[in-house]
């Protein structure tokens, strides 16, 4: 919904960017590209990353728990720092993605997902699924201390909430029925990307 504003900002910064309308992942337009970039630190589904891998693309993603599943693929190029991101992007532009192996295809299939689900369930015991004292304590902290106010914001930031740590402003009445796009825009303004913690690593880029 804010495409026009993004285009104006890109032009003002003299960025060489092309903007396309929503495109089906099987469309001919996307076949011309070989690199997919997902810089998100808070994605919990990452289906677009999986689709890009299934299409035989390079994926450039941050080393983050939400991306752990993708580290098994040869076409995944992880990074920790802005400098490493640029190195990985250049490596992708200078080479061609590896064809998916049979194991990688299996991992991206519904059969592979079912296998992982059954393995996780079969390894569970009753004590694994029942709430522990730590679970109850965490729930209490989330429902009380972190419920709102600057103290909750600071606790979220200290516990690694990343770019979404500042949430106390959401308790205001005007945001309770606001459209998601307005909430996201306000969230970005409330917590600029520069305030998000960045992890450093001396690990060399993966080729």
């Amino acid at each position: 919904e804010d495409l026009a504003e993004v285009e104006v900002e890109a032009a003002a910064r003299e960025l060489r960017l092309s903007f396309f309308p929503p495109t089906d992942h099987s469309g001919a337009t996307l076949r011309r590209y070989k690199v997919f970039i997902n810089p998100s630190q808070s994605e919990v589904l990452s289906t677009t990353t999986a689709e890009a891998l299934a299409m035989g693309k390079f994926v450039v993603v941050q080393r983050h728990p939400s991306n752990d599943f993708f580290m098994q693929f040869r076409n995944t190029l992880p990074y920790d720092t802005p400098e490493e991101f640029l190195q990985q992007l250049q490596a992708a532009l200078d080479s061609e993605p590896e064809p998916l192996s049979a194991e990688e295809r299996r991992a991206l299939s519904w059969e592979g997902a079912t296998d992982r689900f059954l393995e996780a369930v079969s390894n569970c015991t009753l004590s694994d699924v029942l709430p522990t004292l730590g679970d109850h304590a965490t729930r209490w902290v989330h429902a009380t201390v972190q419920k709102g106010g600057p103290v909750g914001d600071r606790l979220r930031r200290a516990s690694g909430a990343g770019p979404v740590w500042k949430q106390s402003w959401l308790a205001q009445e005007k945001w309770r029925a606001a459209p998601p796009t307005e909430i996201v825009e306000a969230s970005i303004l409330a917590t600029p990307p520069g305030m998000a913690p960045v992890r450093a690593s001396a690990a060399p880029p993966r080729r």
Side-chain angles (χ1 to χ4, degrees):
E1 296 181 5
D2 57 353
L3 176 59
E5 297 176 9
V6 174
E7 290 177 331
V8 170
E9 183 68 20
R13 294 173 180 246
E14 299 182 349
L15 301 176
R16 296 175 57 189
L17 300 175
S18 298
F19 297 91
F20 299 97
T23 305
D24 189 274
H25 67 272
S26 62
T29 303
L30 296 182
R31 298 174 189 170
R32 296 181 293 148
Y33 299 92
K34 65 176 182 177
V35 184
F36 176 80
I37 300 171
N38 186 355
S40 176
Q41 293 182 335
S42 56
E43 177 62 72
V44 294
L45 295 177
S46 303
T47 51
T48 52
T49 302
E51 288 173 352
L53 284 169
M55 295 173 67
K57 316 288 186 186
F58 282 120
V59 298
V60 182
V61 296
Q62 188 173 21
R63 287 188 182 90
H64 188 270
S66 63
N67 291 322
D68 282 349
F69 171 75
F70 303 116
M71 298 303 159
Q72 64 184 295
F73 297 91
R74 292 172 295 170
N75 290 330
T76 296
L77 303 176
Y79 67 91
D80 281 311
T81 65
E83 294 76 19
E84 193 176 8
F85 166 79
L86 292 176
Q87 294 174 22
Q88 296 289 47
L89 179 58
Q90 190 62 56
L93 295 175
D94 291 342
S95 57
E96 294 299 323
E98 295 282 349
L100 289 174
S101 66
E103 293 77 11
E104 290 173 331
R105 289 181 180 275
R106 175 78 181 184
L108 291 170
S109 68
W110 280 113
E111 291 81 3
T114 302
D115 288 343
R116 292 189 295 274
F117 172 75
L118 293 176
E119 181 180 0
V121 172
S122 63
N123 290 331
C124 286
T125 63
L126 185 59
S127 61
D128 292 327
V129 297
L130 291 177
T132 65
L133 182 60
D135 294 330
H136 288 298
T138 302
R139 177 182 177 278
W140 178 84
V141 170
H142 177 73
T144 56
V145 182
Q146 288 193 349
K147 190 173 183 179
V151 174
D153 286 342
R154 291 187 177 89
L155 279 174
R156 273 186 291 274
R157 188 177 191 184
S159 59
V164 296
W165 65 270
K166 201 169 187 178
Q167 298 180 17
S168 58
W169 57 272
L170 284 169
Q172 300 175 26
E173 183 67 29
K174 70 175 183 177
W175 297 113
R176 294 181 182 176
T181 52
E182 291 185 14
I183 294 177
V184 170
E185 184 176 347
S187 179
I188 294 173
L189 293 174
T191 311
M195 297 183 69
V198 178
R199 295 183 297 131
S201 173
R206 177 180 170 186
R207 294 298 297 267

